[in-house]
Amino acid sequence: MTLTFDRLRKQYGQVVAIDDVTASFAPGLIHGVIGPNGAGKSTLINMTAGSYSVSAGSIALDGKRLDTLKKYQIANSGVARTYQNIRLFDQMTVLENLEVCFYPADVGGTLKEVTWPPYAAARRERRREKCMETLRLFDLQGYAQAEAGSLPYGRQRMLEIARALVCDPRVLLLDEPAAGLNHHETAELTARLAAQRLPDRITIIVEHDMDLVMSLCDNIIVMHHGKLLFQGTPAEVQASPDVQLAYLGTANDIDDIRAAAQDRRAQLGIRARRRS
Amino acid sequence: MSVAETLAAAKPRSGRAISFLFFAIAIALIVATPFLPNYYVRVINSLLIYILLGIGLNIVIGYAGLLDLGFVAFYAVGAYSYALLASPQLDLHWPFLLILLVAACLGAVTGILLGIPVLRLRGDYLAIVTLGFGEIIRIIINNLDWLTGGPKGIARLDKASILGIQVARPIDFFWLLLITVLVVGTLVWRLERSILGKAWAAIREDQDAARGIGINTTNAKLAAFATSATIGSIAGAIFAASQRFVSPESFTLQESVLIVLMIVVGGIGNILGIVAGATILMLLPEVLREFAEWRILFLGLLMIFLIIVRPAGIVPRSFGPDKLIRRLFGK
Ligand SMILES: Nc1ncnc2c1ncn2[C@@H]1O[C@H](COP(=O)(O)OP(=O)(O)OP(=O)(O)O)[C@@H](O)[C@H]1O
Ligand SMILES: [Mg+2]
């Protein structure tokens, strides 16, 4: 089972956001996607999840085309995602945010749920159990009945990841999961994501936090101006002069890349605080 | 402790007293109705019909977050189903329950027919298109003289009977409506709590994110339109049977707006809120009957007042029937 991009291209009017990207993502690994602002990282995630259409080329999971499917069908093929700007169901409770993910599996039993209380109770209990289990992984069990929109920013990030994980996705797409988190939260997140590295799961993380990327990812893709600039292990990426150049123009070591990422994080932290 | 905290701490107990008060009033009213003069029974019946309509429309507006201003069309479909199938108009005299079934199915079909073209619309655009749809149905009824009697309407509808029991007096309809409201209310409440209900809420919150977790929003929305229309149509059929007369006048835009107001005033997305909203908007004009010309003004002032002091409605979304039951009978 592999996720593949074949000569993928995305154009917004005149802007070419993704230019002829071919790549493949093996299961069991965590793949990092890095690159400067505007490199096209989110666009890759958005096309894979079906939020954006594909201008040319194709995306396939297990040889089955994804780019021809509707967004909900892609989700039902086992692709789950988070968003660069958190998108929760704000007025629903934390628990409901996860429960509703069982819609595709359970909707067929709706009539029975409405008319036969014991069946409804059993279904609800089963959904609840699974959701609580996932919430516990992210230390959110105490918030189960809280309104999602009322959580602190960091918890909202965690909840969004929990929502993506609750139905056991085959492909997990995370767009800047550590954005706006403090050091402590980022460390926790890194540990939790490491625990989610399953043999049959493809995880793709877009992230500016180099510590997280370097410690978590097995394979890194570097994007630059919509092109795939480099692909390799964290060590290879750190050693690549091309990558340093892409990030800083004149960079000469990984510390500079880190510094750039730190700046970026500070910037996002401000944004996060404004949001909440 | 701040004022807000004090209030929050005091709430459960006063909430319980209020719950009991309203529950007691409702029970007393139900028990007293058989002894009330027909006039009042009719008022209560029309209140029950509005509650039924509110419960139906709330599925689309309150649960799925789609502002539908053409709801009265489904009410008309149900009413005319009864009028055509149980009157000298086409000389058909079907039994009431069969017509109710037909009306429910027709309602669902019209609901889906309206739903399909407006799937992509939201907010104001959706409101305008559905408003147009409601008017189109009314105008068709108004102009289809040979079938619907046009503006004159259809009179001399059959007396309804259910399994040999005649349902003709206002009090008969009171029981029929009460049972219908309780059954429909319970089912819809269970629907709200089902996985489909959660999906509607997700669509209301963020349609795109809802698709992202695998919800086929097309189907879920059509299900909302269909269930909502079914209930509207059932209410229409009962309405026609109780009036034994239908005309397009009963199905104007004003009716749609009134039902929306009941939902908004009472508490959007909450069945208890609809009961509260319908009660206020239906009974107040009766109470103020003496001030005939001023009624609308009073109503307007009341609305402004309520929207300022309780913008989320009289009963907030979070205080659903489950909470009420817990308050009443819980520890
Ligand atoms: N919806 C859109 N319409 C038009 N242009 C867009 C849209 N989304 C992205 N772009 C453009 O496409 C390019 C790639 O954007 P993308 O969001 O994929 O970058 P990114 O690598 O995720 O950047 P960042 O690190 O800032 O999140 C940018 O030039 C951006 O301005
Ligand atoms: Mg991005």
Side-chain angles (χ1 to χ4, degrees), chain A residues 125-154:
Chain A
E125 194 44 44
R126 218 194 50 195
R127 287 198 287 264
R128 200 190 175 82
E129 246 167 51
K130 283 194 188 173
C131 296
M132 286 309 290
E133 203 177 294
T134 309
L135 286 180
R136 272 191 288 273
L137 289 177
F138 289 86
D139 200 23
L140 286 167
Q141 68 277 21
Y143 292 90
Q145 299 302 334
E147 239 181 47
S150 73
L151 294 191
Y153 181 82

PDB file of all heavy atoms in Angstrom, chain A residues 125-154:
ATOM      1  N   GLU A 125     -22.797   3.737  22.846  1.00  0.00           N
ATOM      2  CA  GLU A 125     -21.789   3.292  23.809  1.00  0.00           C
ATOM      3  C   GLU A 125     -20.506   2.872  23.074  1.00  0.00           C
ATOM      4  O   GLU A 125     -19.405   3.209  23.481  1.00  0.00           O
ATOM      5  CB  GLU A 125     -22.368   2.135  24.631  1.00  0.00           C
ATOM      6  CG  GLU A 125     -21.571   1.794  25.871  1.00  0.00           C
ATOM      7  CD  GLU A 125     -21.143   3.034  26.656  1.00  0.00           C
ATOM      8  OE1 GLU A 125     -21.969   3.965  26.859  1.00  0.00           O
ATOM      9  OE2 GLU A 125     -19.966   3.090  27.043  1.00  0.00           O
ATOM     10  N   ARG A 126     -20.691   2.154  21.984  1.00  0.00           N
ATOM     11  CA  ARG A 126     -19.512   1.686  21.245  1.00  0.00           C
ATOM     12  C   ARG A 126     -18.720   2.858  20.663  1.00  0.00           C
ATOM     13  O   ARG A 126     -17.501   2.907  20.747  1.00  0.00           O
ATOM     14  CB  ARG A 126     -19.952   0.762  20.103  1.00  0.00           C
ATOM     15  CG  ARG A 126     -19.010  -0.408  19.898  1.00  0.00           C
ATOM     16  CD  ARG A 126     -19.277  -1.076  18.575  1.00  0.00           C
ATOM     17  NE  ARG A 126     -19.328  -0.104  17.482  1.00  0.00           N
ATOM     18  CZ  ARG A 126     -19.815  -0.365  16.283  1.00  0.00           C
ATOM     19  NH1 ARG A 126     -20.308  -1.537  16.024  1.00  0.00           N
ATOM     20  NH2 ARG A 126     -19.816   0.563  15.356  1.00  0.00           N
ATOM     21  N   ARG A 127     -19.454   3.816  20.087  1.00  0.00           N
ATOM     22  CA  ARG A 127     -18.777   4.999  19.540  1.00  0.00           C
ATOM     23  C   ARG A 127     -18.042   5.734  20.643  1.00  0.00           C
ATOM     24  O   ARG A 127     -16.894   6.133  20.507  1.00  0.00           O
ATOM     25  CB  ARG A 127     -19.815   5.954  18.921  1.00  0.00           C
ATOM     26  CG  ARG A 127     -20.400   5.480  17.623  1.00  0.00           C
ATOM     27  CD  ARG A 127     -21.041   6.630  16.870  1.00  0.00           C
ATOM     28  NE  ARG A 127     -22.301   7.099  17.434  1.00  0.00           N
ATOM     29  CZ  ARG A 127     -23.508   6.715  17.028  1.00  0.00           C
ATOM     30  NH1 ARG A 127     -23.612   5.842  16.048  1.00  0.00           N
ATOM     31  NH2 ARG A 127     -24.588   7.208  17.576  1.00  0.00           N
ATOM     32  N   ARG A 128     -18.740   5.879  21.750  1.00  0.00           N
ATOM     33  CA  ARG A 128     -18.200   6.616  22.879  1.00  0.00           C
ATOM     34  C   ARG A 128     -16.908   5.998  23.386  1.00  0.00           C
ATOM     35  O   ARG A 128     -15.932   6.686  23.651  1.00  0.00           O
ATOM     36  CB  ARG A 128     -19.268   6.580  23.962  1.00  0.00           C
ATOM     37  CG  ARG A 128     -19.165   7.612  25.002  1.00  0.00           C
ATOM     38  CD  ARG A 128     -20.159   7.243  26.093  1.00  0.00           C
ATOM     39  NE  ARG A 128     -20.017   8.158  27.181  1.00  0.00           N
ATOM     40  CZ  ARG A 128     -20.576   9.366  27.208  1.00  0.00           C
ATOM     41  NH1 ARG A 128     -21.342   9.748  26.216  1.00  0.00           N
ATOM     42  NH2 ARG A 128     -20.374  10.167  28.213  1.00  0.00           N
ATOM     43  N   GLU A 129     -16.922   4.689  23.495  1.00  0.00           N
ATOM     44  CA  GLU A 129     -15.733   3.993  23.994  1.00  0.00           C
ATOM     45  C   GLU A 129     -14.530   4.250  23.102  1.00  0.00           C
ATOM     46  O   GLU A 129     -13.448   4.587  23.561  1.00  0.00           O
ATOM     47  CB  GLU A 129     -16.013   2.498  24.034  1.00  0.00           C
ATOM     48  CG  GLU A 129     -16.041   1.926  25.437  1.00  0.00           C
ATOM     49  CD  GLU A 129     -16.617   0.546  25.438  1.00  0.00           C
ATOM     50  OE1 GLU A 129     -16.157  -0.308  24.635  1.00  0.00           O
ATOM     51  OE2 GLU A 129     -17.568   0.295  26.223  1.00  0.00           O
ATOM     52  N   LYS A 130     -14.743   4.084  21.805  1.00  0.00           N
ATOM     53  CA  LYS A 130     -13.646   4.291  20.864  1.00  0.00           C
ATOM     54  C   LYS A 130     -13.142   5.722  20.945  1.00  0.00           C
ATOM     55  O   LYS A 130     -11.939   5.978  20.891  1.00  0.00           O
ATOM     56  CB  LYS A 130     -14.108   4.011  19.430  1.00  0.00           C
ATOM     57  CG  LYS A 130     -14.207   2.535  19.106  1.00  0.00           C
ATOM     58  CD  LYS A 130     -14.333   2.374  17.606  1.00  0.00           C
ATOM     59  CE  LYS A 130     -14.623   0.939  17.231  1.00  0.00           C
ATOM     60  NZ  LYS A 130     -14.916   0.808  15.796  1.00  0.00           N
ATOM     61  N   CYS A 131     -14.075   6.664  21.052  1.00  0.00           N
ATOM     62  CA  CYS A 131     -13.678   8.069  21.073  1.00  0.00           C
ATOM     63  C   CYS A 131     -12.929   8.396  22.352  1.00  0.00           C
ATOM     64  O   CYS A 131     -11.917   9.101  22.325  1.00  0.00           O
ATOM     65  CB  CYS A 131     -14.902   8.973  20.946  1.00  0.00           C
ATOM     66  SG  CYS A 131     -15.745   8.775  19.383  1.00  0.00           S
ATOM     67  N   MET A 132     -13.402   7.877  23.474  1.00  0.00           N
ATOM     68  CA  MET A 132     -12.731   8.158  24.741  1.00  0.00           C
ATOM     69  C   MET A 132     -11.309   7.595  24.715  1.00  0.00           C
ATOM     70  O   MET A 132     -10.379   8.214  25.216  1.00  0.00           O
ATOM     71  CB  MET A 132     -13.518   7.557  25.914  1.00  0.00           C
ATOM     72  CG  MET A 132     -14.794   8.301  26.271  1.00  0.00           C
ATOM     73  SD  MET A 132     -14.616  10.076  26.507  1.00  0.00           S
ATOM     74  CE  MET A 132     -13.683  10.115  28.028  1.00  0.00           C
ATOM     75  N   GLU A 133     -11.176   6.438  24.114  1.00  0.00           N
ATOM     76  CA  GLU A 133      -9.851   5.823  23.993  1.00  0.00           C
ATOM     77  C   GLU A 133      -8.902   6.768  23.246  1.00  0.00           C
ATOM     78  O   GLU A 133      -7.780   7.016  23.678  1.00  0.00           O
ATOM     79  CB  GLU A 133     -10.032   4.527  23.199  1.00  0.00           C
ATOM     80  CG  GLU A 133      -8.987   3.478  23.389  1.00  0.00           C
ATOM     81  CD  GLU A 133      -9.382   2.256  22.570  1.00  0.00           C
ATOM     82  OE1 GLU A 133     -10.424   1.624  22.908  1.00  0.00           O
ATOM     83  OE2 GLU A 133      -8.703   1.979  21.580  1.00  0.00           O
ATOM     84  N   THR A 134      -9.393   7.314  22.138  1.00  0.00           N
ATOM     85  CA  THR A 134      -8.554   8.238  21.368  1.00  0.00           C
ATOM     86  C   THR A 134      -8.294   9.522  22.150  1.00  0.00           C
ATOM     87  O   THR A 134      -7.176  10.040  22.134  1.00  0.00           O
ATOM     88  CB  THR A 134      -9.238   8.572  20.026  1.00  0.00           C
ATOM     89  OG1 THR A 134      -9.602   7.351  19.403  1.00  0.00           O
ATOM     90  CG2 THR A 134      -8.308   9.346  19.117  1.00  0.00           C
ATOM     91  N   LEU A 135      -9.347  10.005  22.834  1.00  0.00           N
ATOM     92  CA  LEU A 135      -9.163  11.233  23.614  1.00  0.00           C
ATOM     93  C   LEU A 135      -8.092  11.037  24.682  1.00  0.00           C
ATOM     94  O   LEU A 135      -7.291  11.927  24.954  1.00  0.00           O
ATOM     95  CB  LEU A 135     -10.476  11.662  24.272  1.00  0.00           C
ATOM     96  CG  LEU A 135     -11.522  12.279  23.341  1.00  0.00           C
ATOM     97  CD1 LEU A 135     -12.772  12.651  24.119  1.00  0.00           C
ATOM     98  CD2 LEU A 135     -10.961  13.503  22.639  1.00  0.00           C
ATOM     99  N   ARG A 136      -8.076   9.847  25.286  1.00  0.00           N
ATOM    100  CA  ARG A 136      -7.076   9.587  26.320  1.00  0.00           C
ATOM    101  C   ARG A 136      -5.664   9.666  25.761  1.00  0.00           C
ATOM    102  O   ARG A 136      -4.750  10.155  26.411  1.00  0.00           O
ATOM    103  CB  ARG A 136      -7.316   8.217  26.972  1.00  0.00           C
ATOM    104  CG  ARG A 136      -8.292   8.301  28.153  1.00  0.00           C
ATOM    105  CD  ARG A 136      -8.318   7.017  28.960  1.00  0.00           C
ATOM    106  NE  ARG A 136      -8.983   5.954  28.218  1.00  0.00           N
ATOM    107  CZ  ARG A 136     -10.301   5.761  28.243  1.00  0.00           C
ATOM    108  NH1 ARG A 136     -11.067   6.524  28.979  1.00  0.00           N
ATOM    109  NH2 ARG A 136     -10.842   4.793  27.533  1.00  0.00           N
ATOM    110  N   LEU A 137      -5.483   9.200  24.522  1.00  0.00           N
ATOM    111  CA  LEU A 137      -4.154   9.268  23.908  1.00  0.00           C
ATOM    112  C   LEU A 137      -3.641  10.702  23.875  1.00  0.00           C
ATOM    113  O   LEU A 137      -2.446  10.950  23.891  1.00  0.00           O
ATOM    114  CB  LEU A 137      -4.209   8.755  22.462  1.00  0.00           C
ATOM    115  CG  LEU A 137      -4.417   7.262  22.266  1.00  0.00           C
ATOM    116  CD1 LEU A 137      -4.518   6.964  20.778  1.00  0.00           C
ATOM    117  CD2 LEU A 137      -3.257   6.503  22.877  1.00  0.00           C
ATOM    118  N   PHE A 138      -4.582  11.645  23.776  1.00  0.00           N
ATOM    119  CA  PHE A 138      -4.182  13.046  23.667  1.00  0.00           C
ATOM    120  C   PHE A 138      -4.482  13.817  24.943  1.00  0.00           C
ATOM    121  O   PHE A 138      -4.513  15.031  24.942  1.00  0.00           O
ATOM    122  CB  PHE A 138      -4.855  13.687  22.456  1.00  0.00           C
ATOM    123  CG  PHE A 138      -4.299  13.176  21.170  1.00  0.00           C
ATOM    124  CD1 PHE A 138      -4.786  12.022  20.594  1.00  0.00           C
ATOM    125  CD2 PHE A 138      -3.234  13.824  20.559  1.00  0.00           C
ATOM    126  CE1 PHE A 138      -4.239  11.524  19.429  1.00  0.00           C
ATOM    127  CE2 PHE A 138      -2.685  13.331  19.393  1.00  0.00           C
ATOM    128  CZ  PHE A 138      -3.189  12.177  18.824  1.00  0.00           C
ATOM    129  N   ASP A 139      -4.719  13.063  26.018  1.00  0.00           N
ATOM    130  CA  ASP A 139      -4.943  13.665  27.319  1.00  0.00           C
ATOM    131  C   ASP A 139      -6.116  14.649  27.291  1.00  0.00           C
ATOM    132  O   ASP A 139      -6.079  15.697  27.914  1.00  0.00           O
ATOM    133  CB  ASP A 139      -3.658  14.385  27.767  1.00  0.00           C
ATOM    134  CG  ASP A 139      -3.672  14.594  29.275  1.00  0.00           C
ATOM    135  OD1 ASP A 139      -4.390  13.849  29.964  1.00  0.00           O
ATOM    136  OD2 ASP A 139      -2.994  15.530  29.743  1.00  0.00           O
ATOM    137  N   LEU A 140      -7.142  14.292  26.533  1.00  0.00           N
ATOM    138  CA  LEU A 140      -8.287  15.196  26.400  1.00  0.00           C
ATOM    139  C   LEU A 140      -9.530  14.643  27.087  1.00  0.00           C
ATOM    140  O   LEU A 140     -10.605  15.230  27.002  1.00  0.00           O
ATOM    141  CB  LEU A 140      -8.601  15.424  24.922  1.00  0.00           C
ATOM    142  CG  LEU A 140      -7.646  16.318  24.129  1.00  0.00           C
ATOM    143  CD1 LEU A 140      -7.909  16.190  22.642  1.00  0.00           C
ATOM    144  CD2 LEU A 140      -7.783  17.765  24.559  1.00  0.00           C
ATOM    145  N   GLN A 141      -9.376  13.477  27.749  1.00  0.00           N
ATOM    146  CA  GLN A 141     -10.574  12.816  28.297  1.00  0.00           C
ATOM    147  C   GLN A 141     -11.324  13.716  29.270  1.00  0.00           C
ATOM    148  O   GLN A 141     -12.547  13.681  29.345  1.00  0.00           O
ATOM    149  CB  GLN A 141     -10.232  11.451  28.927  1.00  0.00           C
ATOM    150  CG  GLN A 141      -9.396  11.507  30.186  1.00  0.00           C
ATOM    151  CD  GLN A 141      -7.911  11.630  29.865  1.00  0.00           C
ATOM    152  OE1 GLN A 141      -7.517  12.039  28.787  1.00  0.00           O
ATOM    153  NE2 GLN A 141      -7.064  11.273  30.832  1.00  0.00           N
ATOM    154  N   GLY A 142     -10.607  14.573  29.977  1.00  0.00           N
ATOM    155  CA  GLY A 142     -11.261  15.462  30.943  1.00  0.00           C
ATOM    156  C   GLY A 142     -12.102  16.538  30.278  1.00  0.00           C
ATOM    157  O   GLY A 142     -12.926  17.181  30.912  1.00  0.00           O
ATOM    158  N   TYR A 143     -11.909  16.726  28.990  1.00  0.00           N
ATOM    159  CA  TYR A 143     -12.634  17.781  28.269  1.00  0.00           C
ATOM    160  C   TYR A 143     -13.799  17.227  27.454  1.00  0.00           C
ATOM    161  O   TYR A 143     -14.413  17.960  26.694  1.00  0.00           O
ATOM    162  CB  TYR A 143     -11.697  18.517  27.301  1.00  0.00           C
ATOM    163  CG  TYR A 143     -10.636  19.341  27.983  1.00  0.00           C
ATOM    164  CD1 TYR A 143      -9.401  18.792  28.292  1.00  0.00           C
ATOM    165  CD2 TYR A 143     -10.860  20.675  28.294  1.00  0.00           C
ATOM    166  CE1 TYR A 143      -8.411  19.547  28.906  1.00  0.00           C
ATOM    167  CE2 TYR A 143      -9.885  21.439  28.913  1.00  0.00           C
ATOM    168  CZ  TYR A 143      -8.665  20.869  29.217  1.00  0.00           C
ATOM    169  OH  TYR A 143      -7.714  21.617  29.812  1.00  0.00           O
ATOM    170  N   ALA A 144     -14.077  15.931  27.590  1.00  0.00           N
ATOM    171  CA  ALA A 144     -15.023  15.269  26.683  1.00  0.00           C
ATOM    172  C   ALA A 144     -16.315  16.058  26.489  1.00  0.00           C
ATOM    173  O   ALA A 144     -16.819  16.163  25.374  1.00  0.00           O
ATOM    174  CB  ALA A 144     -15.318  13.861  27.180  1.00  0.00           C
ATOM    175  N   GLN A 145     -16.838  16.629  27.570  1.00  0.00           N
ATOM    176  CA  GLN A 145     -18.128  17.307  27.456  1.00  0.00           C
ATOM    177  C   GLN A 145     -18.004  18.808  27.220  1.00  0.00           C
ATOM    178  O   GLN A 145     -19.005  19.512  27.171  1.00  0.00           O
ATOM    179  CB  GLN A 145     -18.975  17.062  28.713  1.00  0.00           C
ATOM    180  CG  GLN A 145     -19.302  15.597  28.962  1.00  0.00           C
ATOM    181  CD  GLN A 145     -20.037  14.945  27.809  1.00  0.00           C
ATOM    182  OE1 GLN A 145     -20.725  15.614  27.038  1.00  0.00           O
ATOM    183  NE2 GLN A 145     -19.868  13.644  27.651  1.00  0.00           N
ATOM    184  N   ALA A 146     -16.781  19.297  27.082  1.00  0.00           N
ATOM    185  CA  ALA A 146     -16.595  20.728  26.851  1.00  0.00           C
ATOM    186  C   ALA A 146     -16.855  21.061  25.387  1.00  0.00           C
ATOM    187  O   ALA A 146     -16.714  20.210  24.509  1.00  0.00           O
ATOM    188  CB  ALA A 146     -15.178  21.135  27.235  1.00  0.00           C
ATOM    189  N   GLU A 147     -17.246  22.282  25.131  1.00  0.00           N
ATOM    190  CA  GLU A 147     -17.419  22.712  23.751  1.00  0.00           C
ATOM    191  C   GLU A 147     -16.044  22.827  23.101  1.00  0.00           C
ATOM    192  O   GLU A 147     -15.139  23.434  23.668  1.00  0.00           O
ATOM    193  CB  GLU A 147     -18.106  24.083  23.744  1.00  0.00           C
ATOM    194  CG  GLU A 147     -19.414  24.069  23.004  1.00  0.00           C
ATOM    195  CD  GLU A 147     -20.074  25.434  22.991  1.00  0.00           C
ATOM    196  OE1 GLU A 147     -19.381  26.417  22.702  1.00  0.00           O
ATOM    197  OE2 GLU A 147     -21.287  25.496  23.253  1.00  0.00           O
ATOM    198  N   ALA A 148     -15.912  22.267  21.913  1.00  0.00           N
ATOM    199  CA  ALA A 148     -14.597  22.230  21.277  1.00  0.00           C
ATOM    200  C   ALA A 148     -14.013  23.630  21.112  1.00  0.00           C
ATOM    201  O   ALA A 148     -12.822  23.857  21.339  1.00  0.00           O
ATOM    202  CB  ALA A 148     -14.692  21.531  19.925  1.00  0.00           C
ATOM    203  N   GLY A 149     -14.861  24.578  20.736  1.00  0.00           N
ATOM    204  CA  GLY A 149     -14.375  25.924  20.487  1.00  0.00           C
ATOM    205  C   GLY A 149     -13.892  26.644  21.739  1.00  0.00           C
ATOM    206  O   GLY A 149     -13.217  27.666  21.653  1.00  0.00           O
ATOM    207  N   SER A 150     -14.245  26.095  22.906  1.00  0.00           N
ATOM    208  CA  SER A 150     -13.859  26.772  24.148  1.00  0.00           C
ATOM    209  C   SER A 150     -12.504  26.292  24.658  1.00  0.00           C
ATOM    210  O   SER A 150     -11.981  26.816  25.624  1.00  0.00           O
ATOM    211  CB  SER A 150     -14.927  26.529  25.214  1.00  0.00           C
ATOM    212  OG  SER A 150     -14.846  25.190  25.668  1.00  0.00           O
ATOM    213  N   LEU A 151     -11.929  25.270  24.024  1.00  0.00           N
ATOM    214  CA  LEU A 151     -10.639  24.748  24.497  1.00  0.00           C
ATOM    215  C   LEU A 151      -9.523  25.748  24.222  1.00  0.00           C
ATOM    216  O   LEU A 151      -9.590  26.524  23.277  1.00  0.00           O
ATOM    217  CB  LEU A 151     -10.298  23.443  23.760  1.00  0.00           C
ATOM    218  CG  LEU A 151     -11.164  22.225  23.985  1.00  0.00           C
ATOM    219  CD1 LEU A 151     -10.490  21.012  23.384  1.00  0.00           C
ATOM    220  CD2 LEU A 151     -11.442  22.007  25.441  1.00  0.00           C
ATOM    221  N   PRO A 152      -8.461  25.689  25.036  1.00  0.00           N
ATOM    222  CA  PRO A 152      -7.280  26.494  24.712  1.00  0.00           C
ATOM    223  C   PRO A 152      -6.675  26.029  23.384  1.00  0.00           C
ATOM    224  O   PRO A 152      -6.868  24.881  22.971  1.00  0.00           O
ATOM    225  CB  PRO A 152      -6.313  26.198  25.865  1.00  0.00           C
ATOM    226  CG  PRO A 152      -7.025  25.314  26.813  1.00  0.00           C
ATOM    227  CD  PRO A 152      -8.322  24.909  26.249  1.00  0.00           C
ATOM    228  N   TYR A 153      -5.951  26.922  22.770  1.00  0.00           N
ATOM    229  CA  TYR A 153      -5.441  26.664  21.431  1.00  0.00           C
ATOM    230  C   TYR A 153      -4.709  25.317  21.292  1.00  0.00           C
ATOM    231  O   TYR A 153      -4.981  24.529  20.386  1.00  0.00           O
ATOM    232  CB  TYR A 153      -4.511  27.811  21.019  1.00  0.00           C
ATOM    233  CG  TYR A 153      -3.950  27.661  19.645  1.00  0.00           C
ATOM    234  CD1 TYR A 153      -4.684  28.045  18.537  1.00  0.00           C
ATOM    235  CD2 TYR A 153      -2.689  27.113  19.460  1.00  0.00           C
ATOM    236  CE1 TYR A 153      -4.170  27.896  17.276  1.00  0.00           C
ATOM    237  CE2 TYR A 153      -2.169  26.950  18.190  1.00  0.00           C
ATOM    238  CZ  TYR A 153      -2.909  27.347  17.104  1.00  0.00           C
ATOM    239  OH  TYR A 153      -2.411  27.188  15.848  1.00  0.00           O
ATOM    240  N   GLY A 154      -3.803  25.072  22.215  1.00  0.00           N
ATOM    241  CA  GLY A 154      -3.017  23.843  22.142  1.00  0.00           C
ATOM    242  C   GLY A 154      -3.887  22.598  22.175  1.00  0.00           C
ATOM    243  O   GLY A 154      -3.664  21.635  21.429  1.00  0.00           O
TER     244      GLY A 154
END
